[in-house]
């Protein structure tokens, strides 16, 4: 299985901050990387697919980059509704796997 | 706007079979990939398996011996069965979709989640 690690595992930030989360894969996955946001008690919500393509309806303050084994999710200016847990997922090969998550909370 | 509505038993005894069904509303059923994901309390997300429009299935090897995913295209529904459950199968179970273009596009639609508790 392809394992994903995320760093940091958690971070504290303020509204307006720039936030960067990194996801690393144990094998090359080309661009088969998605990012999700999840709030407590809710299903994950797709933010970015193909490593850098913004899902329809997702604000442009979210961006993704990377390929191969290292990927980044950036929130350019954190908004109140962005406090949540973020997961990366590889969809290159079965079984599809998720990173352990990065919790973003209020500083 | 495609929506996934899921249902199934929420409380099971060890050794019983978990059964969940996911209904697809407001969109095409035949062209996409349909899957189940679970999330254990305080844990991360685990992909269980998928079924595609031709009925081909792929399962997580960690669960493969106990999992069956099937579909009923006439009802626009797909279902999960997980046999011989244990306490370790306690989780929130989600159904989700990968659009017809393929896995590069991520899981773009999710069900609301079903909490399944296994307890004696």
């Amino acid at each position: 299985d392809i394992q994903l690690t995320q760093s940091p595992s958690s971070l504290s930030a303020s509204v307006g901050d720039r936030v960067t989360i990194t996801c690393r894969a144990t094998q090359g996955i080309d661009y088969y990387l998605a990012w999700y946001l999840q709030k407590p008690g809710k299903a994950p919500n797709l933010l970015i697919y193909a490593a850098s393509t913004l899902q329809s309806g997702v604000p442009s303050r979210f961006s993704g980059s990377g390929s191969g084994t290292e990927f980044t999710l950036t929130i350019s200016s954190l908004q109140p509704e962005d406090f949540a847990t973020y997961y990366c997922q590889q969809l290159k090969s079965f079984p599809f796997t998720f990173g352990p998550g990065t919790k973003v909370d209020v500083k | 706007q495609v929506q996934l509505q899921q249902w199934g038993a929420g409380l099971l005894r060890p050794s019983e079979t978990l059964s969940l069904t996911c209904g697809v509303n407001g969109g095409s059923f035949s062209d996409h990939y349909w899957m189940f994901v679970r999330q254990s309390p305080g844990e991360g997300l685990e992909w269980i398996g998928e079924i595609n429009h031709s009925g081909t299935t792929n399962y997580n090897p960690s669960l493969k011996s106990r999992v069956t995913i099937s579909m009923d295209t006439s009802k626009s529904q797909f279902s999960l069965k997980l046999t011989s459950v244990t306490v370790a199968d306690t989780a929130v179970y989600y159904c989700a979709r990968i659009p017809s273009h393929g896995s590069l596009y991520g899981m773009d639609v999710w069900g609301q989640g079903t909490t399944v508790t296994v307890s004696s």
Side-chain angles (χ1 to χ4, degrees), chain A residues 1 31-32 34 36 38 41-46 49-50 55 87 89 91-92 94-98 100, chain B residues 35 37 39 43-47 50 58-61 94 98 103-108 110-113:
Chain A
D1 298 4
Y31 297 95
Y32 286 77
Y36 301 85
Q38 186 180 33
K42 300 294 187 181
N45 183 47
L46 178 65
Y49 63 89
Q55 172 69 357
Y87 295 94
Q89 182 199 23
L91 301 108
K92 174 66 174 177
F94 297 122
F96 298 152
T97 48
F98 293 85
Chain B
M35 54 209 65
V37 173
Q39 186 169 32
E43 298 294 326
L45 296 154
E46 180 180 31
W47 179 81
E50 70 162 29
N58 290 286
Y59 300 130
N60 193 320
Y94 296 100
I98 285 178
S103 63
L104 188 66
Y105 291 78
M107 297 179 180
D108 66 341
W110 291 70
Q112 78 277 19

Side-chain angles (χ1 to χ4, degrees), chain A residues 15-38:
Chain A
V15 172
D17 284 354
R18 182 180 182 89
V19 170
T20 299
I21 300 168
T22 298
C23 177
R24 291 185 174 87
T26 53
Q27 302 174 35
I29 57 172
D30 300 325
Y31 297 95
Y32 286 77
L33 194 285
W35 288 98
Y36 301 85
L37 170 159
Q38 186 180 33

Side-chain angles (χ1 to χ4, degrees), chain B residues 55-108:
Chain B
T56 301
T57 53
N58 290 286
Y59 300 130
N60 193 320
S62 67
L63 298 167
K64 187 174 183 177
S65 63
R66 299 192 291 130
V67 171
T68 302
I69 297 176
S70 59
M71 65 183 186
D72 185 337
T73 54
S74 67
K75 295 181 179 179
S76 294
Q77 295 174 357
F78 61 106
S79 299
L80 168 70
K81 288 192 185 300
L82 180 67
T83 61
S84 304
V85 297
T86 70
V87 171
D89 295 312
T90 295
V92 178
Y93 287 75
Y94 296 100
C95 56
R97 182 189 85 166
I98 285 178
S100 58
H101 301 294
S103 63
L104 188 66
Y105 291 78
M107 297 179 180
D108 66 341

Side-chain angles (χ1 to χ4, degrees), chain A residues 3-95:
Chain A
Q3 306 299 319
L4 299 178
T5 59
Q6 288 183 234
S7 60
S9 57
S10 65
L11 65 90
S12 297
S14 301
V15 172
D17 284 354
R18 182 180 182 89
V19 170
T20 299
I21 300 168
T22 298
C23 177
R24 291 185 174 87
T26 53
Q27 302 174 35
I29 57 172
D30 300 325
Y31 297 95
Y32 286 77
L33 194 285
W35 288 98
Y36 301 85
L37 170 159
Q38 186 180 33
K39 295 186 178 180
K42 300 294 187 181
N45 183 47
L46 178 65
L47 297 173
I48 287 170
Y49 63 89
S52 62
T53 303
L54 205 62
Q55 172 69 357
S56 176
V58 173
S60 59
R61 63 181 180 272
F62 292 94
S63 64
S65 64
S67 67
T69 61
E70 186 157 335
F71 302 85
T72 300
L73 172 70
T74 300
I75 310 171
S76 60
S77 178
L78 196 68
Q79 297 302 301
E81 60 269 30
D82 301 338
F83 292 102
T85 300
Y86 293 83
Y87 295 94
C88 57
Q89 182 199 23
Q90 68 82 18
L91 301 108
K92 174 66 174 177
S93 64
F94 297 122

